[in-house]
Every structure is written in C-alpha cells, then in structure tokens.
Amino acid sequence: MSHNHHHHHHTDNKKALLLALLLIFILVIAEVIGGLLTNSLALMADAGHMLSDFFAIGLALIAFKVGERAASKSKTFGYRRFEILAALINGVVLIGISVFVFWQAIQRFQAPPEVAGGGMLAFASFALFINLLVAWIFLRGGDVKGNLNLRGAFFHVLGDIVSTIGVLVAGLLILFFNWTFADPIISIVVALLILTAGFRIASESVHVLMEGKPASISLQKIEKHLKELPHVHSLHDLHLWSITSDFPALSCHLVVEEGADRDALLRQATHMLKEEFRISHAVIQMEGEGIECTSMCSSPRPST
C-alpha cells in the first residue's frame, strides 16, 4: 500500500469520524429531551449508550490525530500504534456497556418502567435515522474494513442501530399490547450483540499489540514466494506483524547461493512483497549458505 493511498484513507477516516461525532452529539441531546418529555427510561438509557459512543468516537478521532505525529528517536514508528490502543479501549467500553445493559435489564424485569409509547416511537425513529446515516458515512467515506480503530467506532454505531431498533420494537409492544417486559427482553438481546462486538475488537487489538500475524496475509504463501525467487536456497527468522491495522511489516533472512546478485534479488523480493501481499515495509537480510544459524534461526510454523 502506497504512502499516498494510506494518507488518503487516513484523511477520509478523520472526516467520517468528525461528521459522525457531530451527528451523535445532536442525537444525544434529542434523546435526552425525548426521554424527559415521554418519561421513557429506554430512551434515556439509549442516550447514555449514545453518549458513550460520543466519547468512543472522539477517542478514535484523537487517535488518528496523535498517529500523525512524526517519528522520533525514542519512537521510531511514530505514534501509529495509538490507534490500536484506542481500538482496545473501545472494545473494553463495549464490554462495559453490555454489562451495564444486562444489569439494567434485570432491574426492569423487577420493576418495568411506564413510558409514553407514541413519543418514544417518534424519538426512537429519529435516532434510527441518525444512526443509519452515521453508519453510511463510515462505510462510504471511511476505511472500515482495513482500519481497526475505525472498525471499533463502526461497531459502536452498529450497536446503536440494533439498540434503537430494540427501543422501537419495545415501544410498539408497549403502545399496542401494554407488554412492559418487552423492554428488558430486547435489552438483553442488544447486550449480547454489544458484548460480541466488544470481545472481537478487544481481541483483535490485543493480537496486534502482541505482534500477531495479520489475518489477511498467509505466512505460508510468503515463504513459498520467497523460496521461488532465483538463487534463494532457504530462509529463516521469518516474522510478520502489524505496526497498526493497515501497516503490515516483515523481516526475514534469505540464504542465497554464492555469487548471486544480492541487490537485484533484494529488489525482486521487496517488489514481490509489495505487489502480492501489500507489504511495503520489509527488512530482508541476505547471507551465504555457510553462515552459522543463531538460536533464533528457526522460523515459526507457517499458517494460512
């Protein structure tokens, strides 16, 4: 991935987050007013959920800004990993929200709240429209698939959409059937969805922080392609990790034949890694067959 391509995604991600932040702030204010006017605890709880998303998306935006800081002698890759830390915090927040919703649902089973169903539906419909608009902005203007930090914020919005649909369904059941248990039942379903998303984002973040292999790149295929290069006898110390979600890095030792043009081979290897696997940061050491291996020589077992 070229620097310009990365920069383009980075700018789009910031724009998407900033616009989403503005819309969610408007929605939080609207839901608080709606909760007060209709005496709807469900709307107030959803406003609290949205407020947590406001801070989560704000944190994601701050992460992108911090990530722009230049590399230094003490931080040679700059601050790009801050995006992963922000994604990890978002995942933990999602887990915390799910636990809170579970607790609230148990309380509502014991004492179902009285709400004004009509007003609740009106405000919930407005909330659903705003949430769908925010999700569309992320998908249209941001790199949700490639950037873990933005994906963490996007999962917050998906949780909002499901939560708001739950409020709508609960409002309909309360309005037409006076079935007050609809609210805590739907809250538990929403909590399970939020919990799943939270664990997924948190586990992916920890995987990057633990120097795990990017899921989209096959170590076995990289090893096969490198061994197929001319004059390459074998390889060892092959390591693949992510600096941040869209910045994979690789290092390895290639054992080459005597007399091989190592500069030409290095150009071939780096070009292949960039074209076939979108790895633009690769450190490759060339060595002859007589070089003695160190204790770190054994490569990890390749995985697909």
Side-chain angles (χ1 to χ4, degrees):
M1 183 178 294
S2 68
H3 174 75
N4 288 336
H5 187 63
H6 171 80
H7 180 73
H8 174 71
H9 273 316
H10 192 79
T11 302
D12 287 345
N13 289 339
K14 286 195 298 179
K15 288 179 180 177
L17 285 170
L18 189 59
L19 186 54
L21 201 63
L22 177 62
L23 290 172
I24 288 174
F25 178 75
I26 293 171
L27 182 53
V28 169
I29 300 300
E31 284 200 315
V32 168
I33 293 172
L36 293 173
L37 290 177
T38 62
N39 194 32
S40 170
L41 293 177
L43 272 176
M44 293 295 289
D46 198 50
H49 186 189
M50 293 300 302
L51 185 62
S52 71
D53 287 356
F54 176 80
F55 287 116
I57 292 174
L59 180 63
L61 184 59
I62 291 170
F64 279 118
K65 293 297 291 182
V66 172
E68 291 175 349
R69 294 177 63 180
S72 64
K73 290 183 178 180
S74 63
K75 294 179 177 60
T76 56
F77 280 107
Y79 291 79
R80 294 186 179 185
R81 272 276 172 94
F82 192 83
E83 291 183 13
I84 305 301
L85 291 175
L88 177 59
I89 293 170
N90 277 350
V92 172
V93 169
L94 280 171
I95 294 170
I97 289 171
S98 67
V99 172
F100 175 76
V101 172
F102 272 121
W103 181 77
Q104 286 291 314
I106 293 171
Q107 301 300 312
R108 290 174 190 176
F109 271 120
Q110 297 171 353
E114 294 292 331
V115 298
M120 177 180 174
L121 287 174
F123 282 99
S125 298
F126 175 72
L128 180 61
F129 170 75
I130 295 294
N131 281 321
L132 288 172
L133 180 59
V134 171
W136 180 81
I137 289 169
F138 278 153
L139 290 173
R140 183 82 173 177
D143 184 24
V144 171
K145 184 178 180 181
N147 188 277
L148 185 58
N149 184 35
L150 193 72
R151 190 152 73 248
F154 180 69
F155 273 120
H156 275 280
V157 177
L158 289 185
D160 294 336
I161 291 172
V162 175
S163 176
T164 306
I165 291 173
V167 175
L168 277 170
V169 173
L172 287 169
L173 290 172
I174 293 170
L175 182 65
F176 291 105
F177 302 102
N178 197 31
W179 194 43
T180 54
F181 284 114
D183 186 77
I185 289 173
I186 291 175
S187 295
I188 289 175
V189 174
V190 171
L192 287 172
L193 293 173
I194 296 172
L195 185 65
T196 301
F199 271 119
R200 181 163 57 244
I201 291 295
S203 63
E204 287 182 20
S205 302
V206 170
H207 182 72
V208 173
L209 293 174
M210 293 294 292
E211 309 288 357
K213 180 187 75 68
S216 61
I217 304 177
S218 168
L219 203 64
Q220 189 174 19
K221 288 181 180 179
I222 289 177
E223 184 170 5
K224 178 177 178 292
H225 278 64
L226 287 172
K227 285 182 176 179
E228 288 175 349
L229 292 173
H231 310 298
V232 174
H233 178 71
S234 62
L235 63 89
H236 60 86
D237 279 341
L238 175 60
H239 300 285
L240 176 65
W241 70 101
S242 296
I243 303 302
T244 188
S245 53
D246 52 359
F247 185 178
L250 176 143
S251 69
C252 71
H253 291 225
L254 293 184
V255 180
V256 302
E257 297 172 359
E258 292 296 331
D261 186 342
R262 296 189 179 188
D263 288 339
L265 183 55
L266 181 60
R267 285 193 294 270
Q268 282 183 278
T270 53
H271 178 76
M272 180 274 294
L273 290 170
K274 184 178 293 186
E275 291 298 314
E276 296 291 331
F277 302 100
R278 295 188 179 275
I279 299 173
S280 57
H281 184 86
V283 178
I284 301 173
Q285 179 173 320
M286 306 275 186
E287 56 192 43
E289 296 182 49
I291 300 295
E292 184 179 352
C293 251
T294 66
S295 59
M296 291 291 290
C297 253
S298 57
S299 294
R301 178 179 294 177
S303 61
T304 56

